C-alpha cells in the first residue's frame, strides 16, 4: 500500500509541477515591473509575505515540540515518583 502512495504523490508532483513554477515566474514578473516603475513597496510586501509563509510552519512545529517535551517531562517525573514510592514500600 505504501508503494502506491509514493506513486500517487509522484504523479501529483508531475501533473501540478509546471503550474506551481508558473506562479513563481508570475510573481517575479510582477515585482520586476513594479520596481522598474519606481514602486518598491510591492516588492518589500511580497518579501514580507514570503518570510511570513516561511516562519509559520516552523513556529507550529516548535510549539508542538515544546508541548510534547513538557508533557513527556511531567510523565517522567510522575514515573520516578511512583518508582520511589514502590522502592520505599518494598524496603
Amino acid at each position: 500500500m505504501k508503494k502506491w502512495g509514493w506513486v500517487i504523490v509522484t504523479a501529483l508532483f508531475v501533473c501540478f509541477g509546471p503550474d506551481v513554477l508558473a506562479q513563481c515566474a508570475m510573481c517575479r514578473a510582477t515585482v520586476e515591473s513594479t520596481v522598474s516603475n519606481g514602486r518598491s513597496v510591492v516588492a518589500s510586501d511580497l518579501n514580507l509575505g514570503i518570510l511570513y509563509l516561511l516562519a509559520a510552519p516552523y513556529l507550529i512545529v516548535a510549539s508542538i515540540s515544546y508541548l510534547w517535551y513538557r508533557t513527556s517531562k511531567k510523565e517522567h517525573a510522575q514515573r520516578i515518583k511512583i518508582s520511589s514510592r514502590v522502592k520505599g514500600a518494598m524496603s
Side-chain angles (χ1 to χ4, degrees):
M1 187 65 184
K2 289 183 180 181
K3 183 179 180 181
W4 286 108
W6 284 105
V7 171
I8 292 171
V9 169
T10 304
L12 288 173
F13 279 134
V14 169
C15 291
F16 296 114
D19 294 333
V20 172
L21 293 176
Q23 293 297 323
C24 292
M26 290 170 57
C27 290
R28 186 178 66 188
T30 302
V31 170
E32 287 176 355
S33 68
T34 57
V35 169
S36 66
N37 291 337
R39 298 182 319 189
S40 62
V41 175
V42 173
S44 64
D45 288 344
L46 183 63
N47 287 336
L48 184 63
I50 290 170
L51 290 175
Y52 174 73
L53 290 173
L54 174 75
Y58 288 107
L59 289 174
I60 291 170
V61 169
S63 300
I64 291 171
S65 299
Y66 172 72
L67 292 174
W68 185 14
Y69 171 74
R70 189 177 68 180
T71 304
S72 175
K73 191 175 176 182
K74 285 180 182 178
E75 288 178 3
H76 183 68
Q78 288 176 349
R79 287 182 187 159
I80 291 175
K81 189 176 181 180
I82 291 172
S83 66
S84 67
R85 283 184 183 173
V86 169
K87 286 180 185 178
M90 298 295 271
S91 47

